[in-house]
């Protein structure tokens, strides 16, 4: 008991000494010391907060038949075990990329969403866009010309989506099915899409002027449309989901979902 009492007295003395010492310090110095102590703590807190809110969601979009579901399984399992059925609902998964599973080092799982291209299911895309770290717009490079108009319309909607514009969500135009020699090149596809969007822009802005639509407009008025005019980054790449040549897809994912 005595020992405890002594300890109490000692502790009180110490705290009084500490208080006296603090009172001796000029307030300015005290505040400065506090700031120096608090700043790193607040800084680390914000860095962590920012990191946590950073999304790991990548969206696969594009017309029906462009090869999104095959790509999904290729990225997840390294094989294309999916038949030729049209997807009737979004396909979602959180996983480590198959190509990274055997690698050492940091691996961060990605959340991949395959949104079916069927026009009735496209509104689903808008639900996923606000949380997207990147969007892969898959284009069938084999059957490109007959689908050019439809693909451009879908892409136009994507590029004028409020989340995509405001959050500057990066978009990868993926020319798929390049395993076939008759596939069109990515330069050709990019140019054709730009031309088609240029035409759409004229017709759509005429409609929205009458309807007072609040949709975002694309490109620079009076100039031919080019993807470089978009506020978000739009890049082109080639792949073959079927044969697993998906390096450029994985590169895009890793660029926007950091391990
Ligand atoms: N040659 C070739 N064919 C492919 C490739 N990727 C997909 N296909 C074929 O294209 C067809 C459609 O592929 P899916 O992955 O089901 O297409 P999707 O984009 O998911 O279509 P929806 O679910 O309807 O939106 C299938 O018959 C695939 O075998 C590819 O890289 N090369
Ligand atoms: Mg599908």
């Amino acid at each position: 008991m005595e020992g405890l009492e002594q300890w109490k007295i000692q502790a009180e003395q110490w705290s009084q000494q500490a208080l006296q010492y603090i009172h001796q310090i000029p307030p300015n110095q005290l505040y400065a010391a506090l700031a120096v102590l608090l700043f790193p703590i607040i800084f680390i807190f914000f860095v962590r907060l920012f990191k946590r809110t950073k999304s790991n969601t990548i969206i696969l979009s594009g017309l029906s038949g462009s090869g999104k579901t095959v790509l999904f399984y290729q990225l997840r399992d390294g094989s294309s075990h999916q038949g030729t059925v049209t997807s009737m609902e979004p396909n979602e998964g959180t996983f480590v990329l198959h190509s990274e599973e055997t690698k050492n080092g940091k691996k961060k799982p990605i959340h991949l969403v395959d949104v079916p291209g069927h026009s009735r299911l496209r509104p689903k895309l808008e639900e996923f866009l606000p949380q997207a770290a990147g969007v892969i717009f898959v284009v069938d490079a084999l059957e490109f010309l007959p689908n050019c108009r439809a693909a451009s319309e879908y892409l136009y909607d994507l590029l004028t989506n409020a989340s995509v514009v405001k959050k500057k969500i990066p978009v990868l135009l993926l020319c798929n099915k390049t395993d076939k020699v008759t596939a069109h090149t990515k330069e050709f596809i990019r140019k054709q899409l730009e031309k088609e969007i240029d035409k759409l822009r004229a017709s759509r802005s005429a409609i929205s002027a009458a309807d007072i639509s609040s949709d975002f407009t694309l490109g620079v008025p009076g100039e031919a449309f080019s993807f470089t005019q978009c506020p978000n980054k739009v890049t082109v790449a080639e792949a073959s989901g079927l044969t697993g040549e998906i390096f450029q897809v994985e590169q895009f994912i890793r660029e926007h979902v950091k391990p």
Side-chain angles (χ1 to χ4, degrees):
M1 273 310 268
E2 239 175 49
L4 195 72
E5 284 294 304
Q6 270 183 351
W7 261 109
K8 265 190 178 171
I9 292 162
Q10 182 74 61
E12 259 169 37
Q13 272 180 359
W14 276 342
S15 63
Q16 267 170 11
Q17 274 175 6
L19 273 175
Q20 271 176 2
Y21 181 69
I22 287 172
H23 280 301
Q24 278 169 13
I25 303 170
N28 277 348
Q29 268 184 35
L30 199 65
Y31 295 145
L34 268 178
V36 167
L37 272 176
L38 282 180
F39 181 75
I41 296 172
I42 293 169
F43 182 74
I44 289 166
F45 174 76
F46 271 99
V47 166
R48 300 206 84 187
L49 194 78
F50 181 70
K51 260 195 170 170
R52 209 171 294 158
T53 51
K54 209 147 191 211
S55 151
N56 66 342
T57 301
I58 296 286
I59 298 176
L60 286 167
S61 67
L63 294 184
S64 185
S66 54
K68 300 177 293 294
T69 306
V70 169
L71 271 168
F72 181 94
Y73 289 109
Q74 194 63 257
L75 286 163
R76 196 186 71 176
D77 310 327
S79 63
S80 57
H81 58 70
Q82 174 75 19
T84 54
V85 286
T86 294
S87 309
M88 288 321 285
E89 53 185 89
N91 201 5
E92 271 185 78
T94 303
F95 52 84
V96 171
L97 290 174
H98 178 78
S99 61
E100 290 180 355
E101 265 173 5
T102 50
K103 273 190 195 163
N104 295 323
K106 270 191 183 176
K107 296 172 230 181
K108 186 180 174 181
I110 63 153
H111 177 220
L112 192 64
V113 189
D114 158 20
V115 185
H118 191 288
S119 55
R120 203 165 45 80
L121 292 163
R122 283 194 206 160
K124 285 270 174 206
L125 180 65
E126 277 171 51
E127 286 175 28
F128 290 107
L129 283 176
Q131 38 168 325
V135 180
I136 300 171
F137 186 84
V138 186
V139 180
D140 183 340
L142 272 182
E143 290 291 307
F144 173 66
L145 287 174
N147 293 316
C148 181
R149 172 87 187 187
S152 304
E153 282 179 344
Y154 195 9
L155 185 57
Y156 185 100
D157 291 340
L158 177 69
L159 294 176
T160 53
N161 175 277
S163 302
V164 174
V165 175
K166 283 189 197 154
K167 294 187 175 178
K168 296 195 175 136
I169 300 174
V171 172
L172 180 73
L173 300 178
L174 189 70
C175 306
N176 195 27
K177 311 195 183 181
T178 51
D179 50 290
K180 291 277 196 306
V181 284
T182 49
H184 292 283
T185 64
K186 61 177 186 182
E187 278 75 28
F188 176 81
I189 290 174
R190 182 180 54 79
K191 278 188 197 134
Q192 293 301 315
L193 288 174
E194 282 178 342
K195 268 190 207 166
E196 204 58 49
I197 286 177
D198 198 50
K199 284 190 225 160
L200 278 176
R201 192 169 59 149
S203 58
R204 295 236 182 152
S205 61
I207 297 166
S208 58
D211 282 14
I212 320 168
S213 157
S214 61
D215 239 3
F216 291 87
T217 51
L218 270 186
V220 181
E223 270 181 47
F225 176 74
S226 135
F227 288 118
T228 55
Q229 296 162 353
C230 292
N232 55 329
K233 200 172 158 197
V234 182
T235 42
V236 231
E238 288 176 344
S240 164
L242 209 60
T243 60
E245 280 162 61
I246 51 168
F247 176 71
Q248 293 177 24
V249 186
E250 291 171 331
Q251 214 176 16
F252 174 82
I253 294 173
R254 268 297 153 243
E255 203 177 306
H256 300 291
V257 182
K258 289 272 188 309

